[in-house]
Amino acid sequence: MTQQGSSQQVTQVPDVGTDLATDVAFDVFARTCPSRDTLKHVTDRWGSLTLGALHDGTFRFNELRRRVDGVSEKMLSQTLHALERDGLVRREAQPTNPPRVDYELTPLGREVAERLLGLIDLVESRMPAVLAARERYDTAHGDD
């Protein structure tokens, strides 16, 4: 991330299956930066809840779907694919009959989930203040 007037931070991109590891500056505020997609995957409703749930351990698909209450099968599948593509979730298909697929966080996914859980804890602990603010707003602006 770059602030006005500061020099851009250069991040070493680790080799992830290619022979190329390059110095690339990432700026989530830049429209074309690929970090925007990853941030979207991590911070959207189902991404953040999926990462938070997987922080508790390895889950099968239906176990994870029950843990992330309200997510549809389609949305969970899309979310897991995006998080797997970003290197945050590992999918392991077991050679059993019927097939068994387990999902778990990668080391990078665990790091992201830990930070995300800090935010979740903060939001949950401050909900009385949030609910009071909503009530004040609704009273002042009508219950639109």
Side-chain angles (χ1 to χ4, degrees):
M1 181 168 68
T2 305
Q3 293 182 347
Q4 189 175 2
S6 69
S7 63
Q8 199 167 31
Q9 180 180 354
V10 177
T11 305
Q12 181 70 25
V13 178
D15 184 0
V16 289
T18 68
D19 293 332
L20 300 174
T22 58
D23 286 335
V24 178
F26 294 104
D27 180 1
V28 76
F29 296 102
R31 179 180 8 184
T32 61
C33 185
S35 64
R36 264 198 190 185
D37 285 336
T38 301
L39 184 63
K40 182 180 100 176
H41 298 154
V42 168
T43 59
D44 77 7
R45 177 183 2 175
W46 303 121
S48 59
L49 294 174
T50 299
L51 288 168
L54 285 170
H55 188 266
D56 293 339
T58 301
F59 288 87
R60 294 175 73 174
F61 185 87
N62 284 325
E63 292 172 330
L64 191 54
R65 188 164 169 227
R66 284 189 296 272
R67 177 73 175 104
V68 182
D69 190 30
V71 68
S72 70
E73 187 173 324
K74 179 182 177 183
M75 283 308 305
L76 181 57
S77 180
Q78 290 175 350
T79 298
L80 287 166
H81 285 288
L83 295 174
E84 182 181 10
R85 184 170 183 254
D86 288 339
L88 303 175
V89 169
R90 186 169 76 92
R91 177 186 186 273
E92 185 175 337
Q94 305 292 329
T96 60
N97 193 10
R100 176 186 171 121
V101 179
D102 292 321
Y103 295 91
E104 66 183 347
L105 294 176
T106 63
L108 176 59
R110 182 157 294 285
E111 183 179 354
V112 170
E114 287 171 2
R115 292 178 184 234
L116 191 58
L117 287 171
L119 178 59
I120 290 169
D121 288 344
L122 174 66
V123 168
E124 288 177 340
S125 71
R126 300 298 292 157
M127 279 310 297
V130 170
L131 294 174
R134 286 181 184 174
E135 187 173 323
R136 285 190 307 275
Y137 181 92
D138 292 344
T139 299
H141 295 91
D143 293 337
D144 296 339

